[in-house]
Amino acid sequence: MAPYESDDSTGAAQADDELRDELRAERRRKAARYGVPLAVVGVAAATIGLVPALADSGDPDLPKITAQELIDKIAKSDVQQLSGTVKISTDLGLPDLGGLESSLLSGATQGSGGGSSADPTGKLTELASGVHTLRVAADGPEKQKVSVLESGAEYSLIHNGTDVWGYDSKSNEVYHSTAADSGKAEQHEVPATPKDFADEFLKSVDGTTSVTVDGTAQVAGRDAYRLVIKPKQSGTTAGAISIAVDARTGTPLKFTLTPSSGGAAVVDVGYTQVSFAKPAASTFDFTPPKGAKVTEGDKADKADKAGKAGKTREGSGADQGGKSSETPGHGSAKGLDESGFKVLGKGWNSIAVLDTGSKGGLPSGSASGGGDLGGFLGSLGDPVSGKFGKGTVFSTRLINALITDDGKVYVGAVDKAALVKAANAG
């Protein structure tokens, strides 16, 4: 018996039944009212996950444009002033080392700057993994600012005239250096905006590449064309590149690189807010905070170079005749061109080859030859062999590398088979 139902009141029971029917009908109406939006949200979320290069909101109706015209529009774009917020997401598929991978990426580029945590050389390299939010601003070639927002802290790199400042609020350290010429700031090692990424890839567009315009998009509230770049070659780990180009200014607003294996983007960089108005002059002002440790980068770099030169002289092994007795295979790099690499293949299948001259494959990290580091690194890779001998392949979702036991390194956006083939051709 339902609660509150009375056996001796037929009228009340009928009223109760009618009330329950009405409540059920109301619940169905509410379910329909809330269920449709939830279903739409679910579909939208799935769509965003599967196709990360789609527009942020709506596809604007813009005049038709060819791929070549859009590339020309990017090349001719001369935006001098802007400010905005950029979100960078990088997923190379590196092994989870509890944050150690970010430290390794940062540490690998250090060696100058006097060990300052504010040195931009190592700091901006951290953008190569994880998700980061940046605030950017520019006012011509002499004023730029990039701020990396962290949890409870902020790192800023400011170029103002001939001064270049790096400030890490977490450690309260400052790095200062001077640009060689006014208007020529120190170049940061890692791209920080959609334009930085787009420029690098557009340089490499050749006959091995398909370039098309794939509709329109809206990014950060601005209408944009979507330029899609795809490799014509097989064997590459790169799938497609999508660049959202501002319809009015020709400035890249979003850059997305997806791997040939599918899934989430390897690199996704886009403005969440952007303005092409002149930033306030105070944006580029910087005075070291009270109590901050200031490292003069120019002096630190000179000291670092002098130290390395001294070690080179000490370890050169020159005989009395002034000739070096150093032999290959003891850490010296040899046979390098101006870029430091020999390149095999072309286009998307290009493989860079570096002969380290160091026999024995992976570094042991131990003067006694214990091989602890080599064993650890080896556990992260796949052992391979061929005509070249033996080696280890380290794989990410985009870049793969083969380190052979005779000291050669083969690196490219290609699969493992292509690396082995290149090493066999040697």
Side-chain angles (χ1 to χ4, degrees), residues 251-331:
T251 301
L253 299 175
K254 188 175 176 66
F255 174 97
T256 305
L257 169 59
T258 53
S260 58
S261 59
V266 172
V267 179
D268 191 22
V269 184
Y271 285 100
T272 57
Q273 181 275 326
V274 65
S275 168
F276 294 103
K278 180 183 175 70
S282 59
T283 302
F284 310 100
D285 292 340
F286 180 79
T287 301
K290 185 177 180 179
K293 176 185 176 182
V294 180
T295 298
E296 290 295 336
D298 297 336
K299 294 179 181 179
D301 289 346
K302 288 179 181 178
D304 184 63
K305 290 177 182 177
K308 288 181 179 178
K311 290 181 180 179
T312 300
R313 286 193 295 272
E314 292 173 7
S316 64
D319 60 23
Q320 293 180 350
K323 295 180 180 180
S324 174
S325 62
E326 183 179 6
T327 58
H330 289 81

Side-chain angles (χ1 to χ4, degrees), residues 34 80 196 234 280 298 361:
Y34 298 128
Q80 297 287 317
D196 292 338
S234 60
D298 297 336

Side-chain angles (χ1 to χ4, degrees), residues 70-153:
L70 190 52
I71 290 176
D72 291 342
K73 190 176 184 70
I74 296 173
K76 293 175 182 177
S77 176
D78 189 30
V79 172
Q80 297 287 317
Q81 300 168 335
L82 65 79
S83 60
T85 303
V86 176
K87 182 179 179 181
I88 296 183
S89 176
T90 309
D91 181 10
L92 288 171
L94 296 173
D96 184 3
L97 303 178
L100 178 61
E101 65 275 18
S102 295
S103 300
L104 290 173
L105 284 170
S106 177
T109 59
Q110 291 180 351
S112 61
S116 171
S117 66
D119 178 5
T121 306
K123 196 67 179 179
L124 292 181
T125 308
E126 295 176 8
L127 300 180
S129 64
V131 179
H132 304 272
T133 299
L134 283 64
R135 280 201 299 258
V136 300
D139 184 7
E142 295 191 358
K143 295 182 179 182
Q144 298 94 30
K145 182 176 181 179
V146 177
S147 296
V148 183
L149 309 183
E150 302 172 338
S151 178

Side-chain angles (χ1 to χ4, degrees), residues 78-246:
D78 189 30
V79 172
Q80 297 287 317
Q81 300 168 335
L82 65 79
S83 60
T85 303
V86 176
K87 182 179 179 181
I88 296 183
S89 176
T90 309
D91 181 10
L92 288 171
L94 296 173
D96 184 3
L97 303 178
L100 178 61
E101 65 275 18
S102 295
S103 300
L104 290 173
L105 284 170
S106 177
T109 59
Q110 291 180 351
S112 61
S116 171
S117 66
D119 178 5
T121 306
K123 196 67 179 179
L124 292 181
T125 308
E126 295 176 8
L127 300 180
S129 64
V131 179
H132 304 272
T133 299
L134 283 64
R135 280 201 299 258
V136 300
D139 184 7
E142 295 191 358
K143 295 182 179 182
Q144 298 94 30
K145 182 176 181 179
V146 177
S147 296
V148 183
L149 309 183
E150 302 172 338
S151 178
E154 181 174 319
Y155 174 80
S156 293
L157 178 63
I158 305 124
H159 167 226
N160 193 344
T162 58
D163 288 311
V164 178
W165 296 94
Y167 176 57
D168 182 8
S169 68
K170 189 173 184 179
S171 62
N172 199 28
E173 291 193 23
V174 175
Y175 175 91
H176 175 247
S177 65
T178 55
D181 298 298
S182 180
K184 295 182 180 179
E186 283 190 341
Q187 295 297 308
H188 47 260
E189 299 294 328
V190 178
T193 68
K195 178 174 172 55
D196 292 338
F197 283 90
D199 286 348
E200 287 300 315
F201 277 86
L202 287 174
K203 289 177 187 176
S204 305
V205 170
D206 57 18
T208 66
T209 305
S210 165
V211 184
T212 59
V213 177
D214 185 21
T216 62
Q218 193 170 74
V219 178
R222 296 187 65 89
D223 293 347
Y225 292 101
R226 189 163 53 232
L227 187 70
V228 176
I229 303 170
K230 292 183 179 181
K232 293 180 180 179
Q233 299 166 305
S234 60
T236 177
T237 52
I241 295 169
S242 175
I243 304 172
V245 183
D246 186 65

